[in-house]
Amino acid sequence: LDQRVPLSPARDEVRELTIIFNQMIGRLERAFAQQRRFVADASHELRTPVAVIRNMTEVALTQAKSKEDYICALEAINDESDRLGRLVSDLLALARVDEERMPLDSEPVRLDFLAADVVDSMASFAAEHGITLQTGTLQPATVKGDAARLIQVLMGLVDNAVKYTNAGGTVTVAVEACASHVHCSVTDTGIGIAREHLPHIFERFYRADPARSKAVGGSGLGLSIIDWLVRAHHGAVTVESEPGKGSTFMITLPLMH
Ligand code: ADP
């Protein structure tokens, strides 16, 4: 597939160079294809809320007969504008990531304090969805990084955990340190993720259940941004999940000594 330039039969430098050249062209082609796909997906995602807003504006202008009709149309417009706003800020974040224009601080951060703060600040959001948000074990752990970005990562994981858990469920944030690393986990008792989707959920625009994701206001970009931010902190995000039982997203970061 990558054979752009035919290989010379002689086992010489030209042959070696040809192999390297062909590999590079292959990589470039794949990168371009990915970029085209991204633009197509992004345009599609942007078109949907814009179409809803146009449609509801039309309804309000031509069909609304009562105050309730207006309010209903305006609420739909309001929701879709929110979606559009979130989508645009996610797309901008990814554009910065791609251009490597996402500067990160490198300061000592107490991950256990940060986790407690995130739980505090999101407790009422969780309660609105009928979810108990709590801290589990919180062992003292300091990592080197950007506190604001790490808060963004944890908030994103808690936001998903709440979105994909039915009312009555529980979301637990824990921090456990070992000799060289710290594991920060967000565990929910939610709908879980089927095995076939697991390898893909960190991909841009990937959604295990597009209908449910749309209903909860998701675009499929959150985890790809989280994954990038954690890698930029020399860490990794992993997931374990069982459909119907729940999921655990785990961030592993090197401890600062
Ligand atoms: P979205 O905006 O759709 O939530 P994300 O990138 O944050 O996008 O997540 C990608 C997909 O992974 C979601 O659409 C959902 O199918 C799945 N997912 C993420 N977090 C969870 C979770 N805690 N429980 C179940 N499914 C999840």
Side-chain angles (χ1 to χ4, degrees):
L1 194 72
D2 290 346
Q3 198 132 325
R4 300 276 126 189
V5 176
L7 287 184
S8 74
R11 305 211 151 266
D12 56 9
E13 288 97 332
V14 174
R15 188 185 159 96
E16 305 252 306
L17 278 175
T18 309
I19 291 172
I20 292 169
F21 176 82
N22 284 340
Q23 283 169 347
M24 281 166 63
I25 293 291
R27 274 212 293 276
L28 269 180
E29 278 181 344
R30 283 192 294 277
F32 280 134
Q34 243 168 35
Q35 205 60 31
R36 275 197 298 273
R37 169 89 194 274
F38 180 67
V39 171
D41 287 345
S43 315
H44 177 82
E45 291 297 324
L46 288 167
R47 224 173 15 224
T48 315
V50 170
V52 176
I53 290 170
R54 277 213 346 232
N55 185 36
M56 292 318 285
T57 313
E58 185 84 16
V59 168
L61 288 174
T62 61
Q63 293 166 31
K65 300 213 165 48
S66 63
K67 192 176 161 197
E68 284 70 38
D69 289 352
Y70 275 118
I71 290 175
C72 192
L74 287 178
E75 276 171 352
I77 292 170
N78 199 30
D79 287 351
E80 289 303 312
S81 314
D82 279 352
R83 250 173 76 75
L84 202 53
R86 278 197 302 272
L87 190 57
V88 169
S89 63
D90 283 352
L91 288 171
L92 284 173
L94 281 173
R96 278 201 292 271
V97 162
D98 286 345
E99 290 177 24
E100 288 165 19
R101 268 197 302 124
M102 177 89 86
L104 294 178
D105 277 352
S106 192
E107 301 286 333
V109 180
R110 275 290 292 265
L111 211 56
D112 49 327
F113 293 167
L114 191 141
D117 287 348
V118 166
V119 167
D120 275 348
S121 68
M122 295 186 76
S124 63
F125 161 76
E128 275 168 31
H129 288 78
I131 307 284
T132 306
L133 175 60
Q134 60 185 22
T135 49
T137 313
L138 287 184
Q139 293 175 344
T142 306
V143 298
K144 206 164 150 199
D146 189 316
R149 297 301 180 189
L150 291 171
I151 288 175
Q152 182 185 349
V153 165
L154 264 192
M155 283 190 148
L157 291 178
V158 171
D159 184 57
N160 274 350
V162 169
K163 283 192 315 195
Y164 298 107
T165 300
N166 293 322
T170 305
V171 173
T172 310
V173 182
V175 174
E176 285 174 78
C178 63
S180 58
H181 286 78
V182 51
H183 303 288
C184 177
S185 58
V186 177
T187 302
D188 64 57
T189 57
I191 60 172
I193 304 160
R195 181 177 289 273
E196 70 264 28
H197 296 300
L198 276 180
H200 303 292
I201 58 169
F202 294 99
E203 291 168 13
R204 293 175 181 190
F205 295 112
Y206 192 89
R207 290 175 287 210
D209 178 354
R212 168 125 192 178
S213 177
K214 270 243 156 62
V216 297
S219 64
L221 292 175
L223 283 179
S224 60
I225 296 172
I226 287 171
D227 184 54
W228 187 89
L229 284 172
V230 175
R231 282 169 197 263
H233 281 85
H234 310 290
V237 200
T238 53
V239 57
E240 277 176 22
S241 186
E242 204 176 321
K245 290 243 166 80
S247 313
T248 295
F249 283 80
M250 172 103 82
I251 304 164
T252 302
L253 291 167
L255 272 175
M256 191 176 146
H257 287 294

